[in-house]
Amino acid sequence: MFGRLAESNAMAQIMYGLALRHGWGLPADPPLGISYLSRAASNSAAVEAAALSSGLKKGGAAKGELVLAIYELANSFRHGWGVAKDPVAARSYYETAANLGDTDAMNEVAKCYEDGFGGKKDRRRGQLKFDADADLVRQFTAAKYYRLAEKNGNKTLGNTWIWKDKYTPKDPV
């Protein structure tokens, strides 16, 4: 059923892509599954771009599909499901989904930063950025994403360290 619907529906593309990736109810074909997940992300992004350009400040109806597709692509790159393992791409996709509001992705990207998956390992990884006033701001990325996930209802046990002062930027973003 999802195979027929996947021609025109982003959620069906995600579900069919996952079914293909894992062999749920049909023979597994992870590379084809990735192509459906990619199509879902692309189609959803186009819908969201149209919604934003029409004046909707928070986007349109396809944001959930976009975020889910991006998150599942991150999982594919992390585990090598249908593509070669690529820790850098996985972390980048997780971070994109996290910045779009996915709490699971917030925890995953925080774990990537904490463990050094896809980049430098550092709980207090100081990523230097400039804010609108051109002031230098230090972010502690792993703690930032764990806190964000927790504030959005997705708490991870054993993460009390994220609230210590040493993981709090002096000038919050």
Side-chain angles (χ1 to χ4, degrees):
M1 176 169 75
F2 286 122
R4 283 183 279 154
L5 292 172
E7 296 308 315
S8 60
N9 181 288
M11 183 54 81
Q13 290 167 342
I14 293 168
M15 300 309 290
Y16 191 54
L18 292 174
L20 285 165
R21 186 174 77 184
H22 297 291
W24 296 335
L26 69 164
D29 188 347
L32 185 58
I34 292 297
S35 72
Y36 275 95
L37 291 172
S38 296
R39 282 174 49 188
S42 178
N43 292 339
S44 298
V47 170
E48 286 305 294
L52 291 169
S53 69
S54 72
L56 293 175
K57 291 183 179 175
K58 292 190 176 187
K63 184 176 180 185
E65 287 88 341
L66 174 61
V67 174
L68 180 58
I70 292 169
Y71 177 76
E72 288 302 337
L73 285 167
N75 285 332
S76 296
F77 281 110
R78 178 179 214 149
H79 300 288
W81 293 332
V83 292
K85 284 186 181 183
D86 186 341
V88 174
R91 185 164 86 178
S92 177
Y93 277 91
Y94 282 136
E95 191 157 14
T96 300
N99 288 331
L100 289 170
D102 186 280
T103 57
D104 290 326
M106 291 171 192
N107 278 321
E108 291 297 334
V109 74
K111 188 74 173 147
C112 288
Y113 279 112
E114 184 180 6
D115 294 344
F117 185 81
K120 182 180 175 191
K121 177 181 178 176
D122 192 347
R123 275 187 173 178
R124 290 190 340 160
R125 180 181 162 284
Q127 181 179 3
L128 302 179
K129 290 188 177 179
F130 292 91
D131 66 9
D133 299 322
D135 293 326
L136 192 58
V137 177
R138 185 180 263 305
Q139 296 184 59
F140 300 114
T141 312
K144 175 184 114 174
Y145 281 110
Y146 280 134
R147 288 176 180 186
L148 194 56
E150 194 168 303
K151 286 178 185 176
N152 285 286
N154 194 336
K155 186 173 181 167
T156 302
L157 266 108
N159 273 356
T160 56
W161 64 267
I162 66 174
W163 300 107
K164 291 183 179 178
D165 286 341
K166 67 182 180 178
Y167 298 112
T168 303
K170 301 260 188 260
D171 297 319
V173 177

